[in-house]
Amino acid sequence: MTTALPLEDYQRYGRQMILDGVGLEGQLKLRQSSVVVVGAGGLGCPALQYLGAAGVGRIGIIDHDRVELSNLQRQILHNEETLGKYKAESAATALKRLNSGLEVNVMVSALTSDNALSILEPYDIVLDCTDNVPTRYLLSDACVTLKKPLISGAAQKLEGQLCVFNLGPESPCYRCLYPQPPPQESVGSCAELGILGVVTGTIGNLQALEAIKIILGKEDQSSSLLLFSAFATPPFRSVKLRRRKPTCPACSNPDGCLGSTDYIQFCGGVRPDWIIQGRIPGVDLHEIITSAQIPPRILDVRPTVEFGICHLPGSENIPLKELLKHPEKYMNSATELYVICRLGNDSQIAAEALRHTGGGELTVRDVIGGLRAWSNTVDPGFPIY
């Protein structure tokens, strides 16, 4: 007997093939489809895992970052043995272990406006599993030009969101929702703000689901933004979106705006290197602490929960939000004040606010690179988280 699928695939995919809306026809559609996932991190890993498990025939993985220990809390395709390897290669190895019949294409260089069209064009669907704003605009503009659906996910702290862009002639693109990028100072990374791993897992799985729905022809053509909040009840809510904007520079332009945009500059330029712009190295603060007859005053401006994880002996916890409300409250008779945080970003903001209070003879300094630099240069036993 001649079969439409390899014989072992009937057993592998049988549980989903017996579902209404899938069947043999749907499984063949999955086998003949192609999806590219940009970002093999917290969102990309669960999305890739379930796309591969469902039998999507060809999967592309684009990521130029390498696996770090801090990734393993949420990036489930990586493990201790792949530390230091490219995430795209680590994820591809995990997928092939799961399903050796998959065709997996790996790219370990950055996606740019010069290469985006040629790299994305061979695939049916694009998943945005990145965590930076310039790439989001780049992917959206490329998908508008290529007329491909873009499944966009985002997650930070306890919250996530999901949206399918450019699904049809009336579907909006990312620029329709966000004509201008947010201010750089309002955008934080998972390293700065934190992330609960299951939040990325939830959104990443939903991205895979949306891709499968599109492949099977089950996608609702109406556009909506799905919002997820892990500790809320109920955790999900949906916001209906308007149609694409006729004034959108991407959607309204037959040629799109990919070639005319410098995405880094459009999103505010290169992010400041906070470590270079700091005021005092951790080693200098350590010398001051050990040599001073009177212990210096050190303000730790991290949130209280982070201060409870670890802190310098004798430091005082004043969360940044609290300090910015009334910085004058935290000036005293000391002649020098040292401000520290986790990475060296918030401490600069706090130090500047304290200086602007006009504290007379008070010298305010913030620590370059924060407590992470302290661990690297002063005390290797100080926890990095």
Side-chain angles (χ1 to χ4, degrees):
M1 176 182 176
T2 302
T3 58
L5 290 169
L7 193 58
E8 62 271 18
D9 283 4
Y10 287 85
Q11 184 171 359
R12 178 187 289 269
Y13 304 116
R15 299 299 190 275
Q16 66 190 36
M17 288 171 62
I18 62 176
L19 297 173
D20 291 338
V22 183
L24 177 60
E25 180 184 0
Q27 195 61 49
L28 288 170
K29 287 181 178 178
L30 289 167
R31 182 181 176 84
Q32 295 160 4
S33 65
S34 58
V35 178
V36 60
V37 177
V38 186
L43 298 171
C45 281
L48 285 163
Q49 183 172 18
Y50 274 96
L51 290 170
V56 171
R58 183 160 56 91
I59 296 175
I61 310 174
I62 303 173
D63 199 316
H64 63 284
D65 286 340
R66 295 180 182 269
V67 181
E68 299 178 357
L69 185 61
S70 62
N71 301 148
L72 304 188
Q73 167 252 2
R74 62 199 177 281
Q75 300 180 18
I76 56 174
L77 292 183
H78 312 310
N79 57 66
E80 293 179 0
E81 295 179 0
T82 64
L83 291 175
K85 294 184 178 180
Y86 283 111
K87 290 183 181 180
E89 294 177 345
S90 171
T93 300
L95 288 187
K96 296 292 283 186
R97 286 189 184 135
L98 173 70
N99 190 343
S100 61
L102 293 177
E103 179 184 345
V104 183
N105 303 322
V106 170
M107 178 177 173
V108 295
S109 56
L111 203 66
T112 69
S113 55
D114 293 328
N115 63 22
L117 293 181
S118 61
I119 290 172
L120 302 179
E121 196 278 332
Y123 297 92
D124 302 322
I125 300 169
V126 180
L127 267 64
D128 180 357
C129 298
T130 64
D131 61 357
N132 71 86
V133 178
T135 305
R136 291 195 182 278
Y137 281 98
L138 169 62
L139 287 173
S140 179
D141 291 349
C143 286
V144 169
T145 301
L146 294 169
K147 297 180 172 54
K148 295 184 184 295
L150 173 66
I151 304 172
S152 178
Q156 267 187 353
K157 301 174 75 172
L158 300 171
E159 299 178 343
Q161 64 182 45
L162 172 77
C163 191
V164 181
F165 296 111
N166 203 45
L167 187 57
E170 300 298 330
S171 176
C173 73
Y174 187 78
R175 281 185 185 267
C176 291
L177 264 65
Y178 308 104
Q180 296 296 325
Q184 270 196 345
E185 60 270 18
S186 69
V187 179
S189 66
C190 290
E192 295 166 325
L193 301 177
I195 182 68
L196 188 64
V198 293
V199 174
T200 61
T202 299
I203 300 300
N205 281 331
L206 289 173
Q207 287 182 272
L209 173 60
E210 292 300 319
I212 291 170
K213 286 163 61 178
I214 293 173
I215 293 167
L216 297 178
K218 302 298 179 182
E219 180 64 53
D220 185 352
Q221 294 294 312
S222 63
S223 298
S224 62
L225 176 66
L226 182 67
L227 302 174
F228 173 72
S229 182
F231 289 176
T233 304
F236 290 99
R237 64 188 181 96
S238 182
V239 179
K240 187 175 181 179
L241 301 179
R242 295 179 179 179
R243 297 178 178 181
R244 62 175 51 183
K245 290 184 176 180
T247 57
C248 173
C251 294
S252 63
N253 185 350
D255 299 323
C257 57
L258 184 66
S260 61
T261 303
D262 182 329
Y263 292 91
I264 299 296
Q265 292 304 315
F266 176 67
C267 296
V270 179
R271 292 196 73 185
D273 189 332
W274 295 105
I275 293 180
I276 293 176
Q277 293 182 10
R279 298 296 188 271
I280 180 174
V283 290
D284 288 2
L285 177 60
H286 178 256
E287 184 177 342
I288 292 168
I289 293 172
T290 54
S291 62
Q293 295 182 348
I294 300 176
R297 190 181 182 203
I298 304 172
L299 292 188
D300 187 322
V301 296
R302 294 175 297 156
T304 302
V305 65
E306 294 189 37
F307 186 79
I309 295 173
C310 56
H311 56 268
L312 297 182
S315 59
E316 178 183 356
N317 183 217
I318 309 294
L320 178 63
K321 290 183 179 179
E322 183 178 332
L323 183 145
L324 292 179
K325 290 179 182 178
H326 301 287
E328 69 280 357
K329 288 174 56 177
Y330 306 103
M331 312 293 283
N332 62 9
S333 57
T335 57
E336 291 189 338
L337 178 62
Y338 300 91
V339 188
I340 198 166
C341 65
R342 184 182 175 200
L343 301 174
N345 300 11
D346 290 348
S347 61
Q348 290 194 79
I349 298 171
E352 196 63 22
L354 290 167
R355 293 187 191 104
H356 285 165
T357 62
E361 300 299 321
L362 179 65
T363 299
V364 181
R365 297 177 179 173
D366 62 276
V367 179
I368 300 171
L371 291 168
R372 178 165 295 183
W374 179 274
S375 178
N376 291 332
T377 61
V378 177
D379 181 7
F382 193 87
I384 292 178
Y385 62 94

